[in-house]
Amino acid sequence: MPPSSDSPSDSPSARSSDTSADRPAPGRRTVLGAAAAAVPTALVGLSAPASATPARRPRPTGGDGAQDLPGGGDLGPNVIVFDPSTPGIQAKLDEIFRQQESAQFGSGRYALLFKPGTYHGLNAQLGFYTSIAGLGLSPDDTTINGDVTVDAGWFDGNATQNFWRSAENLALVPVSGTNRWAVAQAAPFRRMHVRGGLNLAPAGYGWASGGYIADSRIDGQVGPYSQQQWYTRDSAVGGWLNGVWNMVFSGVEGAPGQSFPDPPYTTLNTTPISREKPFLYLDGADYRVFLPEKRTAARGVTWGNGTPRGTSLPLSRFYVARPGDPAATLNQALGQGLHLLLTPGVYHLDQPLKVDRAGTVVLGLGYATLVPDGGATAVRVADVDGVRLAGFLVDAGPTNSETLVEVGPRGASADHSANPITVQDVFVRIGGSGAGKATTSIVVNSRHTIVDHTWVWRADHGTGVGWETNRADYGVVVNGDDVLATGLFVEHFNKYDVQWNGQRGRTIFFQNEKAYDAPNQAAIQNGSIKGYAAYKVADSVTSHEAWGLGSYCYYNVDPTIVQHHGFAAPNTSGVKFHDLLVVSLGGKGQYERVINDTGSPTSGTSTTPSTVVSYP
């Protein structure tokens, strides 16, 4: 989205009804080009890696005589732990940032962990594949008098490629009173307490395309400025400045009232079901992983009254994986009854990770990345209760995988309403770092699964990019009933980005761009329909509901392409959509309708959304 024409000193009221109608066409990621991938160099002088003494090994379960793998242990060189007495913290933060700032498709991965206490005068600038987190049970246990900053100087002030970085479980007292968090997709802001304001735009108010906040309290005002779309869940804000196309809130204290499309606010008082992401913390000198409990009709943060509600596991119950561990070793650990903690790095898998035991946790640190080789599936979950997948990236390999992540086997039917499977900050990439292919990225077969913040991306820039080079027909396919998606970002697939076949599905917030690189109209033809919808609900579905959805087209190879609609669904009273939009970015392709045959067409080069408030 282009920068605001307002200067930073203009009054908030000048932006409160901000729209894109009078703005120039946005510069998109492909137009401006991708930054060159940077090969990380070794970091020197970093603090000692975290470790935990292995506890007694679990009893063997395989019966094959294989020696048990130990739980716990060293978290490895790319997990860097600070305490308030650590010398040279700022220098170490700066060194990592220099390495990662423009390394969009590099192999460096880092988790920066801060022990409970108070830190002064820090500015943690976050580059690619860098996570920063506090190690307390509450964000307020770890206070940084300073900033955790994401800006876009590396990309000439354009924040639309600020992917793959995160901040969690910290309290910030920003130096200027406002912290800058100018991110795009796959950059969660979780369990954060900002004792001030939060600016979601880059310096200069250039283009921005984000983003996601959950379980956070921002005492001051949130200023999205040029952010095209944003989702905030189960949080508290002191105010919200403006909106461009699609600002969605569920369970947010202080959120603006429902007003889509002008201003473009979609506001739900509560989130129907949520369960926060697992996180690592320190209990004295020992590491544990906290498992927040499920909430229904959730509103506000989980930690506002002190210790959050849930259970925890000692690190000794986890196999602490390192890059280079083969899939067979990781599966042996899972078979023993251990959970998995994936330390930062890239893991090549020649077979799926098999998550067969109820309650298993697979938690990644620092954007641990799974690459399935030889056409394998990366992760396959059984139809069991309470599995938690969180905090990792799946990067498709050059041999086509039929699926990359499978939640439940085909035909799964068990009731998981009391203890659902959760998929949180699990991101998928096809191409960009090299040619990759996958027929379907994520398949959800198990009932009651919660997909809470995912970005599933067929790359539009980088290396290994082309209509057939990184072929990927479907992004997310939901076959299970009663599935809830909160924060669903799916982009650029050759056919349907989302195909929803299950009954009683719900989505709160959906962001999409159709594939830029379709060579011509014939390449996207869907029978008699012009183009595949971004979000398709199967004709057999009788109950479905979704709020706050946007689909954009930017057919830059053939700008004459026409997409009939962004959304397709059976026309029945039980299938309901609220607050939808489609938009042509600079006139590169057009939509004829918004959903089915409803909604005005886009036209010209004005980048003005066409909206539908309610369907049917």
Side-chain angles (χ1 to χ4, degrees):
M1 187 60 208
S4 171
S5 59
D6 301 319
S7 68
S9 60
D10 286 340
S11 65
S13 61
R15 304 186 195 96
S16 61
S17 60
D18 192 61
T19 70
S20 61
D22 58 350
R23 296 169 179 270
R28 301 310 303 160
R29 296 165 190 155
T30 48
V31 174
L32 294 166
V39 178
T41 56
L43 293 168
V44 296
L46 299 178
S47 54
S51 63
T53 302
R56 186 176 60 187
R57 293 169 177 167
R59 182 172 298 173
T61 57
D64 58 1
Q67 183 176 1
D68 279 1
L69 296 168
D74 193 299
L75 297 182
N78 288 357
V79 175
I80 301 161
V81 180
F82 304 102
D83 65 47
S85 65
T86 302
I89 297 176
Q90 187 64 56
K92 293 172 184 178
L93 296 174
D94 292 345
E95 186 177 5
I96 294 169
F97 178 65
R98 283 193 298 270
Q99 177 181 296
Q100 298 301 115
E101 180 183 12
S102 59
Q104 183 171 179
F105 299 110
S107 58
R109 304 286 187 274
Y110 294 95
L112 311 176
L113 305 182
F114 286 74
K115 293 182 180 181
T118 301
Y119 300 77
H120 297 283
L122 297 181
N123 181 17
Q125 299 183 79
L126 299 187
F128 287 98
Y129 314 110
T130 305
S131 297
I132 188 170
L135 287 169
L137 265 181
S138 166
D140 288 327
D141 293 340
T142 311
T143 298
I144 292 178
N145 288 298
D147 297 86
V148 172
T149 301
V150 178
D151 208 342
W154 73 278
F155 201 44
D156 298 323
N158 179 344
T160 61
Q161 291 184 26
N162 281 349
F163 313 137
W164 305 307
R165 63 201 75 196
S166 67
E168 300 184 47
N169 206 28
L170 292 165
L172 302 179
V173 184
V175 170
S176 69
T178 299
N179 189 77
R180 186 181 301 281
W181 185 254
V183 297
Q185 289 74 21
F189 196 81
R190 289 184 181 268
R191 294 178 54 77
M192 295 289 287
H193 185 187
V194 181
R195 299 177 193 163
L198 189 64
N199 183 341
L200 304 179
Y205 297 86
W207 300 307
S209 177
Y212 175 91
I213 294 171
D215 200 22
S216 295
R217 182 183 300 279
I218 293 90
D219 293 346
Q221 188 174 63
V222 179
Y225 300 102
S226 54
Q227 282 285 356
Q228 295 163 343
Q229 68 282 311
W230 199 274
Y231 176 49
T232 308
R233 178 182 64 71
D234 299 353
S235 294
V237 298
W240 194 273
L241 180 61
N242 73 301
V244 177
W245 292 336
N246 187 22
M247 305 280 118
V248 180
F249 310 85
S250 67
V252 178
E253 298 169 352
Q258 169 71 32
S259 58
F260 187 89
D262 187 18
Y265 298 146
T266 298
T267 303
L268 287 72
N269 190 53
T270 61
T271 305
I273 305 168
S274 61
R275 188 174 69 191
E276 299 303 330
K277 178 185 171 187
F279 62 92
L280 191 68
Y281 74 102
L282 275 172
D283 180 14
D286 298 323
Y287 287 92
R288 299 181 70 89
V289 173
F290 193 82
L291 308 177
E293 69 175 20
K294 186 186 78 167
R295 298 200 291 170
T296 57
R299 182 172 172 83
V301 300
T302 63
W303 46 269
N305 294 320
T307 304
R309 298 176 66 89
T311 59
S312 70
L313 295 167
L315 195 63
S316 60
R317 296 278 302 278
F318 285 78
Y319 178 72
V320 178
R322 295 284 195 92
D325 282 346
T329 298
L330 303 180
N331 281 327
Q332 180 187 345
L334 290 167
Q336 286 177 205
L338 291 171
H339 307 273
L340 286 184
L341 187 71
L342 302 170
T343 63
V346 179
Y347 298 74
H348 282 269
L349 306 176
D350 61 358
Q351 59 179 283
L353 300 186
K354 298 172 184 175
V355 184
D356 295 332
R357 179 174 51 88
T360 298
V361 178
V362 179
L363 176 62
L365 301 178
Y367 285 81
T369 300
L370 307 179
V371 181
D373 293 327
T377 295
V379 181
R380 187 170 283 148
V381 180
D383 194 23
V384 294
D385 275 357
V387 169
R388 306 183 196 224
L389 307 180
F392 57 87
L393 170 64
V394 177
D395 201 357
T399 302
N400 184 70
S401 295
E402 283 299 310
T403 58
L404 294 173
V405 177
E406 293 181 14
V407 180
R410 185 185 300 271
S413 60
D415 186 325
H416 302 298
S417 56
N419 192 6
I421 297 168
T422 48
V423 181
Q424 299 176 287
D425 299 348
V426 172
F427 307 118
V428 172
R429 178 173 69 199
I430 303 99
S433 60
K437 294 185 178 182
T439 303
T440 304
S441 290
I442 298 179
V443 180
V444 180
N445 293 315
S446 287
R447 295 178 61 195
H448 304 104
T449 297
I450 300 172
V451 179
D452 175 45
H453 190 227
T454 187
W455 184 40
V456 183
W457 184 55
R458 176 181 167 265
D460 60 272
H461 63 266
T463 59
V465 172
W467 185 248
E468 296 296 342
T469 305
N470 62 328
R471 181 85 193 185
D473 283 352
Y474 306 101
V476 176
V477 175
V478 179
N479 297 317
D481 295 339
D482 308 291
V483 171
L484 172 65
T486 51
L488 188 59
F489 299 72
V490 189
E491 297 191 293
H492 304 309
F493 285 83
N494 295 77
K495 293 185 178 180
Y496 291 124
D497 298 275
V498 172
Q499 182 170 347
W500 206 297
N501 302 318
Q503 296 285 359
R504 297 176 299 279
R506 291 176 290 186
T507 293
I508 304 172
F509 185 88
F510 171 70
Q511 185 267 327
N512 167 263
E513 287 180 343
K514 295 301 299 174
Y516 293 173
D517 56 347
N520 49 50
Q521 187 76 45
I524 66 163
Q525 194 69 16
N526 181 15
S528 62
I529 300 171
K530 298 173 185 175
Y532 287 80
Y535 188 107
K536 163 70 174 176
V537 179
D539 294 343
S540 59
V541 171
T542 57
S543 177
H544 187 92
E545 194 161 11
W547 297 261
L549 302 93
S551 178
Y552 322 147
C553 72
Y554 187 75
Y555 288 117
N556 63 332
V557 175
D558 181 358
T560 68
I561 290 175
V562 174
Q563 176 88 21
H564 181 62
H565 48 218
F567 305 92
N571 187 5
T572 180
S573 61
V575 177
K576 302 174 184 178
F577 285 80
H578 312 274
D579 301 355
L580 305 96
L581 69 91
V582 297
V583 63
S584 167
L585 304 180
K588 304 291 188 182
Q590 302 290 347
Y591 292 90
E592 293 179 325
R593 295 288 184 264
V594 179
I595 179 168
N596 293 346
D597 295 319
T598 298
S600 300
T602 60
S603 63
T605 60
S606 63
T607 311
T608 303
S610 178
T611 62
V612 168
V613 174
S614 182
Y615 184 88

